Amino acid sequence: MIHEVKGNLLDAKGIILHGCNAKGVMGSGVALAIRNKWPGAYEKYKTHCSDLEVHPRDFLGDVVWYSEGDVVIGNCITQEFYGRNGRRFVSYDAVDKCMEEVGLVAAQNPQLDINFPLIGCGLGGGYWPVVREIIEYRIPDSLKKVLWIQ
């Protein structure tokens, strides 16, 4: 079950997930807010995406983890491209792969809440009922899942 909270995702403690692209760019939305608050999370993600030997498509589904204080950031690479033209950039297959890893990591840290926005459903153009179903399927109900709505 996903619990909904109204507020700022950046105020959460525990695991904070968000979707990002495979280009090493966090220039808008939740990704930019995370970049501004936790620059180390951005640097680790940018380094991960800078491997010129690998096509950005090959990063889809990766989760780039970063810890600082009482927060663990999961930079979920859920889309190859980004833009503002109204098309769907998020890959549901990449979301599925990311959430599978998140479920495994979170199961080792069951005391941590799993916090996230509408992953891939803002600028990524995804459809929340599809993403929600993936999250519910991949992350067991024994773990607390929290959707943050502004």
Side-chain angles (χ1 to χ4, degrees):
M1 179 175 140
I2 294 177
H3 304 274
E4 292 188 16
V5 172
K6 289 191 185 245
N8 186 343
L9 172 67
L10 303 187
D11 294 334
K13 303 294 181 230
I15 298 171
I16 297 178
L17 307 175
H18 72 107
C20 41
N21 61 69
K23 301 291 188 186
V25 176
M26 286 185 174
S28 60
V30 173
L32 178 59
I34 286 175
R35 174 184 177 169
N36 289 338
K37 185 164 183 174
W38 294 286
Y42 168 69
E43 290 302 324
K44 192 164 184 186
Y45 151 80
K46 184 178 172 186
T47 298
H48 181 83
C49 293
S50 69
D51 186 348
L52 298 177
E53 299 291 319
V54 180
H55 189 280
R57 186 176 309 113
D58 296 331
F59 294 128
L60 288 176
D62 288 359
V63 180
V64 181
W65 296 100
Y66 174 80
S67 297
E68 184 174 309
D70 52 4
V71 173
V72 178
I73 305 292
N75 299 300
C76 300
I77 303 179
T78 57
Q79 55 194 67
E80 182 177 359
F81 301 107
Y82 59 91
R84 294 185 181 269
N85 62 7
R87 72 173 221 176
R88 179 169 65 91
F89 292 99
V90 69
S91 161
Y92 297 131
D93 289 339
V95 172
D96 183 65
K97 186 177 173 192
C98 288
M99 293 307 126
E100 182 176 23
E101 180 175 336
V102 168
L104 295 172
V105 169
Q108 295 173 14
N109 301 282
Q111 75 283 5
L112 299 178
D113 292 353
I114 305 165
N115 303 279
F116 47 87
L118 297 166
I119 294 174
C121 298
L123 296 173
Y127 184 56
W128 175 244
V130 173
V131 175
R132 179 185 197 105
E133 184 176 318
I134 293 167
I135 293 169
E136 291 281 17
Y137 177 72
R138 290 295 182 186
I139 302 174
D141 283 339
S142 60
L143 301 171
K144 187 171 181 186
K145 298 170 282 211
V146 183
L147 169 64
W148 288 75
I149 306 286
Q150 283 278 38

